[in-house]
Amino acid sequence: MSANDPRERRAAPASELYVGYLPVPAGQRLFLRACIPMLAAAFLAAGGLWSGAARSPGRGVWETNAVRTLDGVAYTHPYAMIRVPDAHSPDGARTVLLVQEGKRGAADAIAPFDGRLVRVRGYTLERDGRQMLELAEGGVEPISAPSETMAACLRRPVPAVLGPVCLSGEIIDPKCYLGAMKPGEGRTHKECATLCVAGGIPPMFVTRAASGAVEYFLLVDASGGPATKHVLEFVADPVELSGVLERWGDLLVLKLTPGAIRRL
């Protein structure tokens, strides 16, 4: 008979081809029983490795359900902030950066009260002991002048120059990083962070030591003013910064020198 004879085709062995409405062929059943557990184990192992390698979104908290009230002296330069009494701080005061709802800084809201004692109301963002307050609607009002002792405590601190430094880390928008977004860092967050910094939210620089310790630096230009235009294109990228490090009370402030930022 020829190879094309229909009778010869009918005599050929049954095919192992799987057809959905027929039972699974015996050979394929054996293969699937061995393969499926191995694939499941491989997927579980890959998932474990991926989740273990992923960076933690951090312990940032945004207290959107509780309005916090702070009394202190407000400042607009280089960014909106308030200095409030704090018995645990070495100079008796701590600094809380101020922002408004959305991707906006608070300089315009604080400008009428620059250097004056105010009461601010809003929602706290906090991570690693660093705080920020998102102002509630109408959340700034002047209050009575403090005592001489209190006024001296809340006065803008004299900068202490710590010297030139070169540091590696990431430029962040602290509103998202401290709790508004998780994760609020890295290149996946670059567009959001860039819009926040462009909108007046103070740029900060974060470094991480091998031990896991995190340091925060407020970024300003060489004259101590806002550094927004200098850092905008580098936000959320791994970078190396050069500048002069200063301590302003409880804030570490990095004054950027010209050409101070280099992508890593």
Side-chain angles (χ1 to χ4, degrees):
M1 290 189 296
S2 72
N4 294 322
D5 193 307
R7 289 170 297 173
E8 184 171 317
R9 290 202 301 272
R10 282 196 299 272
S15 172
E16 285 288 306
L17 177 66
Y18 173 67
V19 180
Y21 55 83
L22 295 177
V24 178
Q28 291 192 24
R29 285 200 302 272
L30 291 173
F31 171 77
L32 291 173
R33 285 171 182 167
C35 186
I36 289 176
M38 289 190 293
L39 286 173
F43 281 127
L44 288 171
L49 290 172
W50 179 82
S51 61
R55 181 182 291 178
S56 167
R59 299 182 297 276
V61 176
W62 190 11
E63 296 180 351
T64 55
N65 296 322
V67 176
R68 180 75 63 87
T69 299
L70 298 174
D71 291 352
V73 177
Y75 298 97
T76 59
H77 186 80
Y79 310 101
M81 60 184 71
I82 184 171
R83 284 188 43 92
V84 300
D86 186 346
H88 301 290
S89 180
D91 64 352
R94 61 186 168 90
T95 306
V96 179
L97 297 173
L98 302 174
V99 294
Q100 296 188 82
E101 184 180 359
K103 302 178 184 299
R104 295 185 298 154
D108 57 340
I110 294 299
F113 311 101
D114 189 31
R116 296 171 58 188
L117 187 70
V118 297
R119 175 167 293 149
V120 296
R121 295 180 298 104
Y123 308 97
T124 300
L125 301 105
E126 183 171 4
R127 179 172 176 176
D128 300 325
R130 177 55 58 196
Q131 282 192 342
M132 171 177 279
L133 191 78
E134 182 193 77
L135 295 174
E137 186 70 26
V140 188
E141 58 179 314
I143 57 178
S144 300
S147 67
E148 286 300 318
T149 303
M150 182 67 70
C153 172
L154 300 180
R155 195 171 293 130
R156 188 188 295 275
V158 176
V161 179
L162 304 180
V165 294
C166 184
L167 302 170
S168 298
E170 180 181 336
I171 300 171
I172 60 163
D173 85 88
K175 182 174 183 180
C176 286
Y177 187 87
L178 296 183
M181 296 286 286
K182 289 188 178 182
E185 59 186 305
R187 285 175 173 161
T188 56
H189 185 250
K190 183 176 178 65
E191 184 175 354
C192 178
T194 302
L195 289 172
C196 286
V197 173
I201 293 174
M204 295 191 81
F205 187 61
V206 174
T207 63
R208 296 178 183 85
S211 63
V214 179
E215 287 273 25
Y216 295 83
F217 304 86
L218 186 65
L219 297 179
V220 298
D221 66 14
S223 67
T228 303
K229 65 180 182 181
H230 303 288
V231 306
L232 207 53
E233 65 176 290
F234 300 100
V235 171
D237 293 334
V239 295
E240 181 183 84
L241 298 187
S242 300
V244 177
L245 184 61
E246 296 184 352
R247 182 177 292 279
W248 298 3
D250 61 328
L251 288 177
L252 285 174
V253 178
L254 185 57
K255 283 186 171 181
L256 299 175
T257 54
I261 309 176
R262 181 178 68 86
R263 283 190 178 90
L264 296 177

